[in-house]
Amino acid sequence: MVDVAISGTGLMVPPHTVTNEELVEGFNAYVELFNSENAEAIAAGTVTAKEGSSAAFVEKASGIKSRYAMVKDGMLDPAHMRPRIPADSNGTPDKPSMMAEMAIEAAKQALEQAGREGKDIDLVICSASALQRPYPAIAIEVQKELGCGGFAFDMQVACSAATFALGSAADMIRGGTAKRALLVNPEITTAHLNLRDRDSHFIFGDVCTATVLEKVEDCDGDETYRILGQKFLTQFSDNIRTNFGFLTRMHEELIDDPQMWFVQHGRKVFKELLPLVCKHIEGHLADHQLGAEDLKRMWLHQANINMNLFATRKLLGREASNEEAPIILDEFANTASAGSIIAFHRHRDGIEKGDKGIICSFGAGYSVGSLLVQRI
């Protein structure tokens, strides 16, 4: 059996910060504009007045205090309410796409940490909750820009895209299809959002993570994590959904339909998904004759602080410390597939050789992906 390890990680942080206070100010300005423009219909009872929000509500509901954005312009404009992303963001003959640029920055950090160069990579996977174009693959663009060999492809599994990609790449290395892999997770999730929706306008932020995988015997980096096991689950649900896609242009009336953007039935997700996640992690650990108490750290998906607290309490039978289950969503918000990888990248202090941890992501699908790792 070929042993595979994580030998490097990287994190690209976008240039703009959007605080709860800024986001709510823009949202409330939109609410005032909407209610003013629809005053007669609201008075007649044919249109429902919109309700304002507050930074305190956002933080209490989610644990989020701020988020990063690739493009801030337009997000806070009550007449626009979406990022004004440049038309050339999909790339030109002389300029990489926005997602590729994000991925390249994160990838260079991961490669440096692993002691590798682009030419050492023969598999690139770009995995994210959404991709800015169907083809050519963002991963192939990254492959070209970094001078990687072998092959590359894109994949999507919503918020579990990063862990599913790590597992797929590990299997390819074990099987001899690839020698060394680079996984990138560029998330421009601010563009998923309906910024006019009080219940969800604050959820997402932009970011990109990168991870290098290779055989344990080939690792040269100072800090490596052997993948002891991986486990994946999907179960169909409509409770987290976006309908926007290339077919949307066939129906002009749908372009601004709220159902085209991120839609979530939060209470149903909490009630249905969290038991799946806890059972999945418990089963994964049991496969290796382990329990949650045997883990030094849990790097969990970062969607909502209440979900994380519930999961760790269920697994440990007590409240987890921030060291045991670090939270990064207060700074980054929900970054879809990248969240658990940010936590892993940022919070490895105190992990000694032999210590075990779990990287777990979960979200739309439903989907759950986990990797049990041990520092070597």
Side-chain angles (χ1 to χ4, degrees), residues 58-73:
V58 171
E59 185 174 350
K60 182 178 179 180
S62 65
I64 297 167
K65 297 179 181 180
S66 66
R67 71 283 298 143
Y68 294 100
M70 290 299 293
V71 177
K72 187 174 182 177
D73 180 38

Side-chain angles (χ1 to χ4, degrees), residues 188-211:
I188 310 177
T189 47
T190 53
H192 295 204
L193 283 172
N194 177 3
L195 290 169
R196 299 180 176 92
D197 180 55
R198 183 179 185 271
D199 293 332
S200 65
H201 74 109
F202 52 84
I203 289 177
F204 287 122
D206 302 336
V207 80
C208 184
T209 51
T211 311

